[in-house]
Amino acid sequence: MEEPLAALWRQRHPSVPPLAHTFRTRFADRWVRYHSLPESKRYAESEEEYAVVLDRYNTALDELFAGQDVYVVTTEWSVTPDGPAGRPSPRRELHPGGVHWWTDADVSDPDPEFHTYTRLYVDRRPWRRGRADALLRAVADEQIVDVFFTDTGLRRIHCPYDGGADLILTGSAERDEFLERHSAWLSDYRSGR
């Protein structure tokens, strides 16, 4: 799976590595952000608020991927290409089926002490509401970052983060439909985007 998926990524997105934190700027024309709690509250403080967070994540994921297989991608960083993760993370427990897919090396600093390697892990599964709730809750609590879900054609991407999610849709029309449908989830800043 790893090599065909990497080849498909390069074909669909030739100048963009699969790093979730870069998608907002790289796909600006198809990007939308929504918040996971009312009034743009960043972190849940009760089970009722976690229910809202998970409902919003799952609703958006259902709209994008219902009845489809998805790739689930998780990430870890290291200061060496294959060394231990640089930050403790529950990635292995939350994504036990994830296999190494991609390594992105940032060796731009002349000092090797500042080189970093981002390793991405992927699995393919049928999308089902609630199936990724443990992973999504860990994302909401910032226990794991740079997670994303994508269809098998790599056209739509859902990147949850602590406080909301960034979506990369198929074009501006689909983006605008989502903005209209979920206007209550959006920030007042810059017209909800």
Side-chain angles (χ1 to χ4, degrees):
M1 169 177 35
E2 302 89 38
E3 193 50 44
L5 182 58
L8 179 61
W9 183 272
R10 287 184 188 101
Q11 176 189 351
R12 293 258 190 267
H13 313 293
S15 62
V16 180
L19 302 175
H21 65 273
T22 69
F23 294 163
R24 174 182 172 184
T25 55
R26 302 286 183 124
F27 300 114
D29 61 326
R30 311 187 279 137
W31 166 78
V32 65
R33 169 171 285 176
Y34 71 85
H35 292 167
S36 52
L37 285 168
E39 300 176 13
S40 302
K41 184 176 180 180
R42 190 146 188 131
Y43 297 102
E45 296 179 42
S46 68
E47 287 307 310
E48 292 79 16
E49 288 181 337
Y50 278 112
V52 172
V53 169
L54 293 174
D55 182 62
R56 287 188 182 186
Y57 284 149
N58 278 290
T59 297
L61 287 158
D62 281 348
E63 289 178 16
L64 297 177
F65 308 125
Q68 301 177 45
D69 278 6
V70 295
Y71 290 117
V72 178
V73 179
T74 57
T75 306
E76 69 183 12
W77 297 267
S78 180
V79 294
T80 63
D82 52 6
R87 173 183 172 197
S89 162
R91 188 199 64 75
R92 289 183 182 171
E93 295 81 24
L94 293 168
H95 194 210
V99 295
H100 182 256
W101 165 41
W102 188 290
T103 298
D104 186 77
D106 181 354
V107 293
S108 57
D109 194 293
D111 185 346
E113 296 266 334
F114 295 102
H115 294 178
T116 59
Y117 299 85
T118 305
R119 294 188 296 260
L120 288 83
Y121 299 85
V122 65
D123 77 349
R124 180 177 173 161
R125 62 178 83 164
W127 170 251
R128 284 194 203 94
R129 183 179 190 91
R131 186 171 181 196
D133 280 0
L135 178 61
L136 290 168
R137 188 168 171 146
V139 168
D141 287 338
E142 202 178 8
Q143 294 174 357
I144 185 168
V145 297
D146 275 353
V147 169
F148 68 92
F149 299 76
T150 184
D151 60 280
T152 58
L154 306 179
R155 291 183 176 89
R156 290 183 177 110
I157 303 171
H158 181 282
C159 305
Y161 67 91
D162 57 311
D166 288 336
L167 306 182
I168 307 305
L169 301 167
T170 58
S172 58
E174 186 179 33
R175 177 202 64 207
D176 293 347
E177 288 171 15
F178 185 91
L179 287 168
E180 185 176 323
R181 209 169 35 253
H182 299 292
S183 60
W185 296 4
L186 307 176
S187 167
D188 291 335
Y189 176 70
R190 292 193 318 150
S191 303
R193 294 192 51 224

